[in-house]
Amino acid sequence: MITFIALSGFLGAGKTTTLVAAARHLQQQGKRVAVVTNDQGTELVDTKLVRSSLDSVAEVTGGCFCCRFEDLIEVVEELIAGGDVDVVIAEAVGSCTDLQATVVRPLRKFYGDQFVVAPLATVVDPMRLRAFTRAAERGEPESDLSYLFSQQLRESDVLAVNKIDLIGQDDRDRVIDDLRRAYPEATVIGYSAKTGTGLTDLLHAWEQPASWTADLDIDYDRYAAAEAQLAWLNQEFVIDADGAGFSPDVWASSLLTHLAENMQAAGAEIGHAKLTVDSDGELTKMSITGSGTTPSVDLTAAGSPTTATATVNARVACEPAVLDQAVLDAVAHADDIAGTRSRAAEANSFKPGYPRPIHRLAAADV
């Protein structure tokens, strides 16, 4: 049977990097892997990145897997029909939770003859975890976003602490020990999707029996309020330069740096902002995972093209109109630095609607 792996995790945790790294590792073991990306909107940076690395790729847009369950099944069946598949890895929207009841259990109950569903893994950014933890230690009231984050942790079979290459050994040990004490039913591992360190531990965890058998008592009003705090923007830009061309890396880095600084000055927290610059198949991809942070580089493109297409995805705790203008300002700044001219497609920023899952099964129902 086909193994189905569902990935959860907050915005900016590194789910897509994990997905690609895990898929490549499984392919090296002789497995045939298909992957599914997911987002509330369309024009996904993650899908472009994954397609630059893997062949069997599909996406579910317009809502999370829980609210687009039939779409998830449809695209997975299309991937399976298109070629032999041993493993499907599906990455859920970063603001989604309650996946055990709305995705994992329905898969096991209704499609158990097709799939062996692996333990649900939540990818954890240790810096984001530290920020939420410190807010609680200062006695600040729990925000709706912090509540959503905690629910993602609570329902996981596997807590996969990513980015361990970015923190020291003492911090790494402390984070993992704290999570093991707080969530004793979960398997807690540390790894780096970027360097590959510890990745085999994650793959091994997916081969173990699922440990999470309780029912998550989630307040859907708070869940919806958390998602509604975030403005979501997906927008494309056509970039033109004169004969000497321009540097896609400079343009991308300048845009994200300006956006991070602007949002920090406005007091608006960035969940994540990521972009690709595509010039004749050469792909630059960078991202930021917080206000005031520096861009992280996933891919860089060679050469100096005279035209390219950029795709920007941003998830920021602000009003959509504020995010629209902030991105336009950042693009104008990038054009000034790189010596380019950019034409924007119509902005597609919005706030997600109330989550209404197709299925929500209790543990006793499976």
Side-chain angles (χ1 to χ4, degrees), residues 299-311:
L299 291 173
T300 58
S304 300
T306 57
T307 187
T309 300
T311 302

Side-chain angles (χ1 to χ4, degrees), residues 64-69 96-97 99 102-103 223 355-359:
C64 187
F65 291 145
C66 61
C67 301
R68 290 281 187 270
F69 188 80
C96 189
T97 189
L99 289 171
T102 64
V103 176
Y223 174 14
R356 302 187 187 280
I358 303 302
H359 305 285

Side-chain angles (χ1 to χ4, degrees), residues 17 97 104-105 108 118 145 158 174 186 203 242 246 269 292 325:
T17 310
T97 189
V104 171
R105 289 173 186 157
R108 288 178 177 147
L145 284 173
V158 180
R174 187 178 304 111
L203 299 181
D242 294 327
F246 76 104
E269 182 57 35
Q325 189 59 53

Side-chain angles (χ1 to χ4, degrees), residues 288-354:
I288 49 177
T289 56
S291 301
T293 60
T294 57
S296 173
V297 179
D298 293 298
L299 291 173
T300 58
S304 300
T306 57
T307 187
T309 300
T311 302
V312 179
N313 296 167
R315 318 292 181 242
V316 182
C318 66
E319 292 302 312
V322 172
L323 181 56
D324 287 345
Q325 189 59 53
V327 169
L328 289 177
D329 292 345
V331 169
H333 174 76
D335 283 339
D336 287 342
I337 298 298
T340 54
R341 302 172 302 279
S342 296
R343 291 174 283 121
E346 184 178 356
N348 183 29
S349 58
F350 62 94
K351 291 195 172 187
Y354 198 98

Side-chain angles (χ1 to χ4, degrees), residues 243-254:
F246 76 104
S247 167
D249 296 350
V250 168
W251 191 91
S253 178
S254 299

Side-chain angles (χ1 to χ4, degrees), residues 38-111:
N38 180 215
D39 197 77
Q40 299 279 5
T42 59
E43 302 297 337
L44 307 186
V45 165
D46 288 345
T47 304
K48 294 179 186 292
L49 174 65
V50 174
R51 283 180 174 150
S52 73
S53 305
L54 304 170
D55 294 327
S56 188
V57 181
E59 63 184 14
V60 173
T61 60
C64 187
F65 291 145
C66 61
C67 301
R68 290 281 187 270
F69 188 80
E70 295 97 336
D71 294 347
L72 171 62
I73 296 302
E74 181 179 347
V75 300
V76 169
E77 289 179 340
E78 288 174 357
L79 288 170
I80 293 170
D84 291 335
V85 174
D86 298 311
V87 180
V88 174
I89 308 176
E91 170 199 350
V93 174
S95 62
C96 189
T97 189
D98 205 21
L99 289 171
Q100 292 279 7
T102 64
V103 176
V104 171
R105 289 173 186 157
L107 281 168
R108 288 178 177 147
K109 180 169 183 175
F110 303 121
Y111 297 91

